[in-house]
Amino acid sequence: MTQQPSARTPPPLDGVDTTGSPHAQFLSTEHWSLLATRSMTWNEIFSRTGTYLTVLSATVIALSLVANASGFGQSFRTFALLVLPVVLLVGVGTYFRLIEADIEDAWLVIGMNRLRHAYLELAPELEPYFVASHHDDAPGMLKTYSFRSRVGLTHWLSGSPVIVGIIDAVVTGVLAAVICDAADAGATLRTIIGVLAAVATVILLAILGYRKVREVTRNYQPRFPS
């Protein structure tokens, strides 16, 4: 009785020259589709980040104009309490969308690595000419991302979600300080509460982002590990 191939271990592909099947054309079409989708994902990342920074810059300019016109009195505090929550809402939404976009981009990279593995099954002699990886595990994905199996702390800190998350933390700290000022709290208390709110926001966003990534990758099993 012939054994059926496993769902997680696809059978080797037959060469086009021996079977006449247009496998290479199918794989190439899928590769370009994934590449186009990945380009759209990166465009969305840049667009979302740019939109948030534009909203933040416009808010800062508006706050400065109100402060020059009315001083840092009740009018300024009222205006700040109205616009800063909106900016924070946009920032938090941007942060989580960037996390989702990075996850989607990782899946696209995994798909492209699997297609490269199929290319090499069709033509193994081409392996020395491939720069990106043909494995769909974590080291293979990182090699396609950065052409190395590991990346340092600076690479993660320079990512768009981290930068947006830090900005969100600063906005949260400023909003907390404005609320304390509206409640007639002292300067020292305002500073302490603002710093604590910013630190708590960083920790909370980091935990939520990590849990989201962990939720997606927990049950993932690579088909073509290194």
Side-chain angles (χ1 to χ4, degrees), residues 14-134:
D14 296 328
V16 176
D17 294 336
T18 58
T19 66
S21 300
H23 289 157
Q25 290 88 337
F26 294 154
L27 294 173
S28 178
T29 301
E30 178 67 9
H31 197 130
W32 281 107
S33 175
L34 295 180
L35 186 62
T37 305
R38 192 181 181 202
S39 177
M40 293 172 59
T41 301
W42 275 96
N43 287 336
E44 182 182 3
I45 290 175
F46 295 141
S47 176
R48 291 264 184 168
T49 304
T51 300
Y52 174 50
L53 295 179
T54 300
V55 171
L56 180 63
S57 300
T59 302
V60 172
I61 294 174
L63 288 173
S64 63
L65 293 176
V66 173
N68 290 332
S70 61
F72 293 93
Q74 184 62 35
S75 299
F76 173 81
R77 289 192 294 267
T78 302
F79 183 74
L81 291 175
L82 289 175
V83 298
L84 287 179
V86 177
V87 175
L88 183 59
L89 178 62
V90 175
V92 172
T94 301
Y95 172 79
F96 286 112
R97 181 57 195 136
L98 292 180
I99 294 290
E100 294 284 350
D102 280 350
I103 293 174
E104 294 169 6
D105 188 54
W107 279 111
L108 293 173
V109 170
I110 289 174
M112 294 171 71
N113 285 4
R114 289 179 178 178
L115 293 177
R116 292 189 190 93
H117 195 280
Y119 293 151
L120 292 179
E121 288 184 359
L122 293 174
E125 67 275 7
L126 296 179
E127 183 174 5
Y129 305 99
F130 277 60
V131 177
S133 175
H134 56 277

Side-chain angles (χ1 to χ4, degrees), residues 38 139-152 155:
R38 192 181 181 202
M141 184 182 65
L142 288 177
K143 183 178 179 181
T144 300
Y145 262 120
S146 58
F147 302 105
R148 47 191 168 173
S149 59
R150 292 184 178 181
V151 293
H155 178 87

